[in-house]
Amino acid sequence: DIQMTQSPSSLSASVGDRVTITCRASQGISNYLAWYQQKPGTVPKLLIYGASTLQSGVPSRFSGGGFGTDFTLTISSLQPEDVATYYCQEYISAPWTFGRGTRVDI
Amino acid sequence: QVQLQQWGAGVVKPSETLSLICGVYGGSFSDYYWSWIRQSPGKGLEWIGEVHHSGSTKYNPSFKSRVTISADTSKSQFSLKVNSATAADTAIYYCARGRPASGTVAPFHSWGQGSLVIVSS
């Protein structure tokens, strides 16, 4: 199985700050990397797929990058509604695996 | 836009079978693979397995010996059964739309509302 390692596990930042979360795959996954946002008490929501393609309706302050084994999710200007846990997921080969999540607080 | 609605028993006794069903609305059941995913504090998000409308399945080896996922095309539903449940199976279970039926890869675009299942006597 491919192991997905996220860092940090949690962070606290101020409104307007630039926030970056990293995700590392235990082996190369090309760009088959997705990011999900899960707000407290809700279902995970797909934010980004293909490492950098924003899902329809996702604010442009979110961006993704990377290829191979190292990936990033960046929030260019953190907003109160961005408080959530963010998960990366590889989808190059089953069993599809997720990172353990990064909790973002303000 | 496809919507998924899931239901099933919220409490299961140890050693019994955990069962959930997911209904697919507003989309073509035959166009995708359909997955079950669970979330627990100890293990995080875990993909359990997937089913194709033809009945073809793929399971996470971590679950394979205890899990059955099946599809009912006539009702646009798919189901999950986990045998010999233990406390470690206590989790929120989600159904989700997976990769296209053609076999190309894709993330999980749509999720059900989630079902908390507690394994306890």
Side-chain angles (χ1 to χ4, degrees), chain A residues 12-81:
Chain A
S12 184
S14 299
V15 172
D17 282 355
R18 182 181 183 89
V19 169
T20 297
I21 299 167
T22 64
C23 177
R24 174 164 290 177
S26 61
Q27 63 190 71
I29 60 170
S30 183
N31 67 334
Y32 295 109
L33 189 283
W35 290 97
Y36 299 86
Q37 176 193 61
Q38 186 175 32
K39 297 183 180 181
T42 69
V43 177
K45 169 190 169 185
L46 178 64
L47 282 183
I48 289 171
Y49 59 95
S52 61
T53 301
L54 258 61
Q55 176 71 338
S56 176
V58 173
S60 59
R61 63 180 178 273
F62 290 92
S63 64
F67 188 90
T69 59
D70 294 309
F71 302 88
T72 58
L73 171 68
T74 298
I75 308 172
S76 61
S77 177
L78 187 66
Q79 299 302 304
E81 60 266 33

Side-chain angles (χ1 to χ4, degrees), chain B residues 56-114:
Chain B
S56 170
T57 55
K58 183 176 291 189
Y59 297 113
N60 186 329
S62 298
F63 297 91
K64 183 169 184 175
S65 62
R66 296 193 299 128
V67 167
T68 302
I69 298 175
S70 57
D72 184 339
T73 303
S74 66
K75 297 180 180 179
S76 293
Q77 294 175 356
F78 61 108
S79 66
L80 169 71
K81 292 185 186 299
V82 180
N83 300 323
S84 305
T86 71
D89 294 313
T90 294
I92 299 173
Y93 287 77
Y94 298 99
C95 57
R97 194 199 89 184
R99 57 200 176 111
S102 60
T104 56
V105 293
F108 302 106
H109 281 264
S110 303
W111 298 58
Q113 80 275 21

Side-chain angles (χ1 to χ4, degrees), chain B residues 8-56:
Chain B
V11 179
V12 176
K13 288 182 168 54
S15 80
E16 295 190 348
T17 297
L18 181 161
S19 295
L20 295 169
I21 298 173
C22 183
V24 178
Y25 306 93
S28 174
F29 189 73
S30 300
D31 286 347
Y32 296 96
Y33 283 83
W34 304 95
S35 279
W36 287 98
I37 298 162
R38 75 180 188 183
Q39 184 173 30
S40 63
K43 291 283 189 76
L45 288 162
E46 295 180 281
W47 176 75
I48 300 170
E50 66 179 8
V51 64
H52 186 264
H53 67 89
S54 65
S56 170

